[in-house]
Amino acid sequence: MRLQRRIAALLPAALVLAACPGTAPSPAPAGPPVNADELAVYATVIDSVLADTAQPFVIIADSTSVSHVEAEAVRNFVVELDSAFPASAIADYREKNGTGWLLPAAIPAGTTLRIFAPRTVFAPDGNLREQYAEFQRRYAPATSFHTLSRPGFDAERRHAVIVTGSHCGALCGHGQIVLLERGPAGWRIVQRRTTWVS
């Protein structure tokens, strides 16, 4: 019941965010140096969460998203999913996601990726239905694009948290929070939960 109330409280903001994919008139600044763990987390999330076997590729927005779930809400979702999840990973998430950054170009996903600059289609004052139609014409047969936050890591780099968003229309999309753990075989997803739906 607590989760339902939290999702209900976030729904109005989610509808606004889904209607406006968080585009900016200019590209995000180049990101800080990305390390192998960050690239591996991106690849794991793309291959395990965002990839769709019915689609030939996954479309990822070219910059990290900071608009879908506020840092405090991320902390609350993480604690509900796993009360023992390292607080240092949540703090790292908060620190890294204060602004948007360009995603690294060389994410080693097993899925074919296409990087999409939302500002090339979505204008702040434009007609969203027409803009999504244009996006879908350009990227057919794909019907949606995805956004990623930067992952937050604990001090030992054994746990990570990342937020995703999937956008398929003016009032069509959803977001997730994903918790990962690094083991002998690499990063794997241990928990995930929907954070908003439109």
Side-chain angles (χ1 to χ4, degrees):
M1 183 59 104
R2 205 164 114 197
L3 174 63
Q4 290 171 333
R5 283 195 302 266
R6 181 162 288 129
I7 289 174
L10 291 172
L11 188 57
L15 290 173
V16 170
L17 292 171
C20 179
T23 59
S26 60
V34 179
N35 63 41
D37 284 328
E38 195 159 349
L39 291 172
V41 165
Y42 283 137
T44 300
V45 170
I46 290 166
D47 290 340
S48 301
V49 176
L50 304 180
D52 178 352
T53 56
Q55 300 293 325
F57 49 83
V58 172
I59 300 173
I60 303 292
D62 67 346
S63 60
T64 61
S65 170
V66 295
S67 62
H68 298 302
V69 182
E70 296 295 325
E72 185 61 24
V74 167
R75 187 192 70 76
N76 293 338
F77 277 116
V78 169
V79 169
E80 285 183 4
L81 284 169
D82 180 357
S83 61
F85 193 81
S88 58
I90 301 167
D92 188 51
Y93 173 91
R94 179 181 305 223
E95 182 179 324
K96 286 180 176 172
N97 287 286
T99 189
W101 298 99
L102 286 176
L103 278 175
I107 297 172
T111 304
T112 301
L113 296 179
R114 291 204 181 165
I115 304 300
F116 166 62
R119 68 195 159 279
T120 63
V121 173
F122 297 98
D125 297 327
N127 180 307
L128 280 174
R129 291 188 195 288
E130 290 174 8
Q131 292 171 348
Y132 271 104
E134 173 61 22
F135 164 78
Q136 290 164 349
R137 274 192 296 275
R138 288 186 190 186
Y139 289 93
T143 57
S144 62
F145 70 93
H146 307 280
T147 56
L148 295 165
S149 71
R150 289 192 67 200
F153 295 96
D154 65 339
E156 293 79 27
R157 291 194 167 268
R158 296 194 54 209
H159 299 87
V161 56
I162 191 169
V163 171
T164 71
S166 299
H167 308 272
C168 48
L171 290 175
C172 174
H174 70 278
Q176 294 186 61
I177 188 165
V178 182
L179 305 184
L180 301 97
E181 186 175 277
R182 188 173 66 183
W187 288 97
R188 67 183 181 89
I189 293 170
V190 292
Q191 296 265 13
R192 65 181 181 161
R193 178 171 287 170
T194 299
T195 55
W196 60 269
V197 177
S198 154

